[in-house]
Amino acid sequence: MSNHSDAGIWFSKRWENFWFAPSDGTNLAICRIIFFLGLAIVYPAELLSTWDMIYYAQWGDVPDYFNRGLSGPFTWLGLEQTGYDNLRILDCIFFIALIMSGIGLFTRVSTLVVFLLGFYLWGLPQCFGKIYHTTAIPVFMFAILAASRCGDRISIDAWIRRKIGWSSPVHLKSEGAYTWPVRLAWATFGLCFFAAGVSKITLGGWEWLLSDQMKWNCIAHHYNEYRVAKWTLPIVCLPGFSPIASAATIVFEIAGILIIFNSKLRAFVVANLTLMQIGIWLLMGVPFTLWLVSYVFFVPWDRIFRYRNDDTELA
Amino acid sequence: MNQPDKSKLLNFLRCSMCISVIGWIAAGWLFPSLLTQLYESSYGDTLRLSRYPLERWLKQWNSVWARGLIVGSIAWLAMYAISSERFRNWYDRFSPLSSSSLKPPRSRRSRAPFYFLGAIILIGQSVDILISREHWPFSHFPMYTGIQTTDYVRYRVDGVLADGTEISLTPYFVPLSPGKIGAVVVNRGNRDLEKHANRCAAEYFNWYSTSRELGRHDGPEITRLKIYHLQWVLQEDASNLDSPLTTLVSEFPLTGKNE
């Protein structure tokens, strides 16, 4: 047998094992619960702040002159700003759909509604002023969960199915139907961080790495609307802070592409990316709360809760 | 294992990798001069190159070239690694398979959502990474790629009350964050800056007044709205936070000197 067929068989085995390893769906179900209910908590909690992620209905009042459009699917689909009353209704439906997706009620429909409305409601603010990238990852997660069978386990739908004598097809567990959504979430995360790292290298160059730009960036956030504690100023002014922080940022963002390769490597890279985003929150006041909720996909929940068999349910 | 086949494949991959990397590096060297000649020729108008300065096209090409080199190098190294038996053996020890035998799916269509979605995400993100563009939610995530110096500017929108007092109107323009309030003023595209700034002031004034009438906020009535440009030289202790260099950019209604 020649080497190229060996390589092909090896790659094929690895591909199948990564994306479609057998899983009973517990991990995916717990990710679904925590992700959607976590967003349902974070989303209204941000009503207490003044960020543009809140008060969606009021996007209907923003003058059309300020709308510079949004390149990409949002414009290609002809989506436009609608009025205050319509946005209020859509916002309420979105919030209800988040809750329903979290508890697993009419999951296929509710996750689809979350994706469609999330895409519109979270895309609309990006048409005004500048794009805030905190919403991109959750929208990808919405799409992944909407296309998956995340409601087959630990859900009201599953309970109803058992009561009326239905069950999910058993073959789905062995075919990886509950594995690929979580793995695709990993890959998406990795790709987004990799993109950020490549941008810093190609757009910032050596000057981004070696100058004091990171220090002045952190200090600049004290001069704008971000709430940054004063005690962080001496930290960012430490000698060597800027190049070390810049280098670490680039290394861990580029390393995001390695998330899919090995569990220990994944844990190391994800832990450092989490710390990086927490660090950005502390030093710059930029809350990546929506991204932090999305980290739920990296936690091996099924190992934590140790399910013994298919019929065991979380109390 | 067929040794001649193995070495043939590896040699083929090595050659292809070298040729493509050298070709890409050569393109990076030759393309800018070709682009410059095109720009200055009559074809430049045909291809609508003249809508942006040449420097902008060259900067865009440099970014695409660098990204292509990074992504292409990683892709080639990955293919070369997979074709190496030594690497495969090492990787099998480093990351053992969790399942030795997997059942093939009953129907290939069951995997259609994965392949469809995966292709969209991979292709969309890859294109935006390579051409450094944003097609939300796909993006090359260019956050904080700029070089921040000690010069810092932002904009503030103030309202003038009947007694002449000026107050900040930032809290009343929710959902626009203060950053977006300023970004709206800056994003003028091809529009005249002064005309655009005056229009922004008028739009902010009308928005504030209309929202107040509709009960969206409880802000005071204003007679005039002003947009200020604030500038600081950053200090390590942020001691000059309250004393920016303030310049009036525009106001509404316009006074005689602004018309």
Side-chain angles (χ1 to χ4, degrees):
Chain A
M1 194 183 292
S2 64
N3 189 55
H4 56 265
S5 59
D6 281 345
I9 292 169
W10 181 88
F11 182 78
S12 178
K13 266 191 188 166
R14 283 272 159 190
W15 179 269
E16 286 287 317
N17 190 259
F18 179 77
W19 295 111
F20 305 113
S23 164
D24 67 354
T26 304
N27 195 32
L28 178 62
I30 297 175
C31 287
R32 182 201 86 235
I33 295 168
I34 298 175
F35 178 68
F36 283 120
L37 294 182
L39 284 180
I41 293 169
V42 163
Y43 177 62
E46 292 198 347
L47 287 170
L48 301 175
S49 76
T50 58
W51 301 115
D52 64 335
M53 286 296 305
I54 59 152
Y55 297 143
Y56 276 102
Q58 297 185 55
W59 283 108
D61 293 339
V62 180
D64 186 57
Y65 181 72
F66 296 160
N67 187 341
R68 63 190 180 100
L70 184 64
S71 294
F74 199 88
T75 303
W76 302 336
L77 294 170
L79 298 176
E80 292 175 348
Q81 180 188 16
T82 186
Y84 178 90
D85 294 327
N86 291 337
L87 283 177
R88 204 167 180 183
I89 294 168
L90 292 175
D91 199 24
C92 287
I93 296 172
F94 177 67
F95 184 70
I96 293 168
L98 275 179
I99 304 280
M100 286 175 64
S101 300
I103 63 176
L105 180 61
F106 302 121
T107 318
R108 297 307 293 255
V109 173
S110 58
T111 50
L112 184 62
V113 169
V114 166
F115 166 60
L116 295 174
L117 287 183
F119 179 81
Y120 176 70
L121 293 174
W122 289 8
L124 183 61
Q126 319 311 329
C127 297
F128 300 92
K130 55 183 179 178
I131 293 176
Y132 284 158
H133 296 91
T134 50
T135 53
I137 286 264
V139 169
F140 285 128
M141 299 301 127
F142 290 160
I144 291 169
L145 290 171
S148 74
R149 299 185 67 99
C150 58
D152 280 3
R153 294 268 295 164
I154 316 177
S155 62
I156 294 180
D157 289 346
W159 181 80
I160 293 171
R161 273 198 297 272
R162 267 203 309 280
K163 286 294 177 196
I164 60 178
W166 289 358
S167 61
S168 296
V170 175
H171 68 89
L172 290 175
K173 294 174 189 168
S174 60
E175 290 176 6
Y178 305 118
T179 305
W180 69 258
V182 176
R183 304 290 162 97
L184 190 56
W186 294 354
T188 305
F189 242 96
L191 205 50
C192 291
F193 275 111
F194 178 73
V198 169
S199 287
K200 288 178 176 68
I201 293 173
T202 55
L203 296 177
W206 287 111
E207 199 181 351
W208 197 89
L209 186 60
L210 299 175
S211 68
D212 278 341
Q213 61 79 28
M214 182 70 82
K215 164 184 149 185
W216 294 118
N217 229 326
C218 294
I219 293 173
H221 280 67
H222 290 260
Y223 286 74
N224 57 26
E225 70 273 19
Y226 295 100
R227 301 186 198 108
V228 193
K230 290 284 184 204
W231 58 261
T232 60
L233 280 171
I235 295 174
V236 305
C237 294
L238 288 170
F241 167 83
S242 191
I244 292 172
S246 302
T249 301
I250 288 178
V251 164
F252 285 114
E253 285 184 346
I254 294 281
I257 203 78
L258 301 177
I259 281 176
I260 60 175
F261 288 109
N262 173 267
S263 58
K264 292 190 180 71
L265 199 55
R266 180 165 47 250
F268 177 70
V269 171
V270 171
N272 280 283
L273 288 173
T274 311
L275 288 174
M276 184 185 80
Q277 292 198 300
I278 292 173
I280 292 171
W281 196 347
L282 285 173
L283 298 178
M284 292 183 173
V286 179
F288 281 95
T289 42
L290 300 179
W291 281 52
L292 290 173
V293 172
S294 304
Y295 278 106
V296 66
F297 288 92
F298 290 101
V299 180
W301 300 105
D302 49 354
R303 285 192 221 167
I304 291 173
F305 290 106
R306 294 281 175 202
Y307 276 85
R308 290 181 182 275
N309 57 52
D310 293 342
D311 296 325
T312 305
E313 286 293 348
L314 192 63
Chain B
M1 198 78 55
N2 189 332
Q3 291 290 342
D5 278 341
K6 178 172 127 180
S7 51
K8 259 189 202 173
L9 173 68
L10 287 174
N11 286 335
F12 172 75
L13 280 174
R14 279 188 200 124
C15 285
S16 304
M17 194 163 72
C18 290
I19 289 170
S20 54
V21 169
I22 291 170
W24 190 248
I25 292 173
W29 181 57
L30 290 170
F31 189 77
S33 55
L34 176 66
L35 184 62
T36 306
Q37 285 176 23
L38 261 177
Y39 189 87
E40 291 166 357
S41 71
S42 57
Y43 291 112
D45 293 328
T46 310
L47 297 170
R48 296 184 64 226
L49 293 176
S50 50
R51 70 183 188 275
Y52 296 121
L54 177 63
E55 289 73 27
R56 183 170 164 164
W57 289 114
L58 290 173
K59 194 177 169 188
Q60 177 73 18
W61 163 252
N62 287 339
S63 178
V64 169
W65 179 84
R67 288 162 186 266
L69 192 64
I70 292 172
V71 174
S73 300
I74 291 173
W76 269 123
L77 284 170
M79 272 195 277
Y80 187 72
I82 290 170
S83 66
S84 161
E85 188 181 355
R86 207 167 150 185
F87 171 81
R88 293 199 300 271
N89 291 337
W90 168 81
Y91 195 81
D92 285 338
R93 287 195 302 274
F94 175 66
S95 185
L97 288 173
S98 57
S99 307
S100 55
S101 62
L102 297 171
K103 285 185 189 171
R106 282 192 189 182
S107 163
R108 289 274 171 205
R109 280 194 300 178
S110 64
R111 294 188 175 176
F114 162 70
Y115 284 110
F116 179 69
L117 199 53
I120 289 178
I121 292 174
L122 178 67
I123 293 171
Q125 272 302 119
S126 300
V127 166
D128 277 6
I129 289 172
L130 283 172
I131 65 174
S132 57
R133 282 273 189 271
E134 303 211 57
H135 298 91
W136 191 89
F138 304 103
S139 175
H140 60 300
F141 295 94
M143 305 92 78
Y144 301 110
T145 54
I147 308 295
Q148 178 65 55
T149 63
T150 53
D151 293 323
Y152 183 69
V153 301
R154 69 177 168 91
Y155 290 83
R156 192 181 71 214
V157 179
D158 284 1
V160 181
L161 305 181
D163 60 2
T165 314
E166 287 195 19
I167 60 165
S168 172
L169 298 183
T170 300
Y172 302 108
F173 289 124
V174 164
L176 286 188
S177 66
K180 278 191 184 268
I181 288 173
V184 157
V185 178
V186 170
N187 277 330
R188 65 183 187 278
N190 292 324
R191 292 171 284 199
D192 175 76
L193 176 58
E194 188 180 340
K195 201 172 168 187
H196 169 67
N198 290 338
R199 176 75 187 268
C200 284
E203 293 286 346
Y204 273 127
F205 183 90
N206 292 330
W207 179 18
Y208 178 89
S209 305
T210 307
S211 293
R212 187 170 177 274
E213 284 165 20
L214 290 171
R216 304 274 202 258
H217 66 77
D218 56 358
E221 190 176 357
I222 58 172
T223 59
R224 181 177 295 283
L225 183 139
K226 296 183 177 182
I227 298 178
Y228 289 105
H229 174 275
L230 310 178
Q231 190 173 354
W232 291 267
V233 175
L234 298 176
Q235 303 289 329
E236 288 188 355
D237 56 358
S239 55
N240 62 342
L241 177 60
D242 295 324
S243 49
L245 176 65
T246 307
T247 312
L248 179 66
V249 173
S250 65
E251 59 183 333
F252 184 85
L254 294 171
T255 57
K257 59 183 175 183
N258 285 44
E259 285 172 358

